[in-house]
């Protein structure tokens, strides 16, 4: 089947630089995706966008180029609840990838067991309205209750302004909860202002809540962009991410977000994104927790 990319789609950076920052041994890229290829794994009819292809082989090549040891592959919304592309990548990784799936209430217990055997360790609930259609909360709570005995967690994607209305639902989840991209803070607002303070309180009051301190290229308003050798990219995001890393060092994760779906402004150099890490995790101890210890505890606990 042939798919036409969404007009204006930005393809991933074909020639990323080699990071100057040397990742600690065993580092995990804890948030990335595969797209298709569409001819093998068709995109979902209900998708809100049609991406370029981004195959498992291309993802694993980037992993090796940047210096990561492992990946956590998060189901992309363009594939809906058809997890075949993500599962195929996990199975092909020789144990170096885990997955986060999207599932519907209709999934059978055997299908959940099959996903677990393939390397899936969580499900993602997306509340970003421009990306997905609404799913009733009772359906999501039912799914969360069914995955809890497997030792899985729930990944939640939402925007900062929506946290107050989602608070009661999030705090009712019976599993570890991992927030994508710090809940997308508005970095034009103060890092100690009421909006981000609410997110900090969410993490402080609920020790089952983790956060990915990823995607500065999505959050930054003033840059500079991770292009052309820039070693001090996305300065306006640094105080937010660093605050979360230093406040909750045992509950943070980082990922490239390759191949960066739906970026409108620019496509970052993934090598320079890696060079962002020491700005938000300035010590070797914090870097090891962020990149090795925490993702291993969540995704490969049997090896810890």
């Amino acid at each position: 089947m042939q798919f036409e990319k969404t007009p204006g789609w930005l393809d991933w950076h074909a020639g990323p630089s080699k990071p100057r920052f040397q990742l600690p041994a065993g580092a995990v890229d804890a948030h990335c995706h595969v797209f298709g290829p569409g001819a093998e794994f068709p995109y979902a009819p209900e998708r809100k966008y049609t991406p370029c292809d981004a195959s498992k082989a291309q993802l694993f090549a980037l992993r090796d180029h940047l210096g990561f040891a492992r990946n956590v592959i998060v189901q992309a919304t363009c594939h809906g609840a058809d997890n075949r592309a993500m599962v195929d990548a996990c199975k092909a990784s020789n144990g170096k990838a885990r997955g986060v799936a999207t599932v519907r209430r209709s999934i059978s217990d055997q299908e959940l067991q099959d996903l677990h055997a393939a390397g899936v360790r969580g499900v993602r609930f997306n509340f970003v309205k421009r990306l997905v259609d609404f799913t009733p909360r009772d359906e999501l709570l039912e799914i969360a209750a069914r995955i809890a005995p497997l030792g899985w967690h729930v990944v939640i994607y939402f925007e900062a302004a929506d946290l107050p209305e989602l608070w009661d639902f999030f705090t009712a989840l019976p599993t570890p909860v991992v927030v994508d991209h710090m809940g997308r803070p508005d970095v034009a607002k103060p890092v100690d202002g009421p909006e981000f303070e609410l997110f900090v309180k969410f993490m402080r009051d609920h020790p089952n809540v983790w956060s990915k301190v990823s995607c500065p290229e999505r959050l930054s308003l003033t840059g500079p962009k991770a292009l052309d050798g820039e070693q001090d990219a996305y300065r306006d995001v640094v105080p937010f991410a660093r605050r979360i890393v230093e406040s909750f060092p045992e509950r943070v994760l980082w990922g490239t977000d390759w191949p960066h779906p739906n970026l409108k402004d620019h496509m970052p150099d993934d090598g320079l994104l890696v060079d962002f890490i020491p700005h938000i995790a300035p010590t070797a101890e914090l870097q090891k927790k962020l990149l090795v210890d925490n993702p291993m505890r969540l995704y490969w606990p049997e090896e810890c």
Side-chain angles (χ1 to χ4, degrees):
M1 193 179 297
Q2 292 294 310
F3 292 92
E4 288 286 322
K5 288 188 296 189
T6 297
W9 184 267
L10 297 180
D11 292 1
W12 41 274
H13 198 293
S17 59
K18 197 81 172 167
R20 293 190 194 177
F21 172 60
Q22 184 167 356
L23 293 162
V28 180
D29 177 354
H31 187 96
C32 52
H33 310 280
V34 287
F35 297 154
E40 188 178 358
F41 301 109
Y43 300 113
E46 73 273 19
R47 66 191 182 279
K48 305 287 188 187
Y49 64 88
T50 304
C52 63
D53 287 340
S55 71
K56 61 181 184 282
Q58 291 162 329
L59 174 63
F60 298 155
L62 180 74
R63 173 199 69 199
D64 295 345
H65 173 76
L66 297 178
F68 287 99
R70 306 182 193 224
N71 298 99
V72 179
I73 305 171
V74 177
Q75 174 74 351
T77 58
C78 58
H79 280 293
D82 179 352
N83 294 286
R84 287 178 297 167
M86 179 271 292
V87 164
D88 175 70
C90 289
K91 287 181 173 178
S93 72
N94 296 315
K96 293 181 178 180
R98 292 285 191 245
V100 174
T102 296
V103 303
R104 304 277 182 255
R105 156 185 269 162
S106 58
I107 194 169
S108 69
D109 290 342
Q110 184 58 54
E111 287 170 319
L112 286 174
Q113 291 291 346
D114 291 346
L115 287 173
H116 188 85
V120 171
R121 294 297 180 267
V123 297
R124 191 187 202 201
F125 297 163
N126 192 323
F127 299 91
V128 179
K129 300 176 182 74
R130 61 193 154 72
L131 293 177
V132 291
D133 295 322
F134 177 77
T135 302
R137 306 283 161 82
D138 63 327
E139 177 173 345
L140 298 177
L141 282 171
E142 181 184 312
I143 291 166
R146 289 180 63 198
I147 65 160
L150 294 168
W152 291 13
H153 57 275
V154 171
V155 175
I156 52 177
Y157 190 28
F158 63 93
E159 299 186 303
D162 297 326
L163 179 56
E165 68 171 279
L166 293 165
W167 183 284
D168 290 345
F169 172 74
F170 290 162
T171 55
L173 291 167
T175 63
V177 174
V178 180
V179 178
D180 276 343
H181 322 323
M182 301 183 287
R184 292 190 63 103
D186 180 348
V187 300
K189 296 179 178 177
V191 71
D192 58 354
E195 189 172 270
F196 201 60
E197 282 295 343
L198 186 68
F199 181 69
V200 172
K201 176 179 167 58
F202 180 50
M203 291 195 70
R204 187 189 307 119
D205 291 358
H206 302 95
N208 65 316
V209 175
W210 299 45
S211 181
K212 296 174 191 170
V213 287
S214 43
C215 284
E217 72 281 7
R218 291 186 186 282
L219 303 174
S220 180
L221 300 173
T222 58
K225 299 167 184 174
L227 292 169
D228 305 317
E230 176 59 59
Q231 284 295 303
D232 200 10
Y234 311 124
R235 272 170 240 161
D236 53 346
V237 181
V238 169
F240 294 83
R242 185 165 172 167
R243 183 175 180 197
I244 298 300
V245 169
E246 292 180 338
S247 299
F248 310 104
E250 316 286 340
R251 291 188 274 139
V252 285
L253 304 166
W254 190 88
T256 57
D257 195 37
W258 188 91
H260 311 285
N262 287 304
L263 288 183
K264 303 288 189 260
D265 179 64
H266 70 288
M267 182 55 60
D269 175 336
D270 294 283
L272 296 175
L273 276 183
V274 171
D275 289 336
F276 176 78
I277 294 169
H279 293 284
I280 64 171
T283 68
E285 181 185 13
L286 287 172
Q287 292 160 9
K288 186 168 182 290
K289 287 179 178 180
L290 175 66
L291 297 164
V292 184
D293 299 346
N294 297 347
M296 288 299 293
R297 204 164 80 245
L298 198 60
Y299 290 99
W300 285 270
E302 69 280 3
E303 295 187 33
C304 294

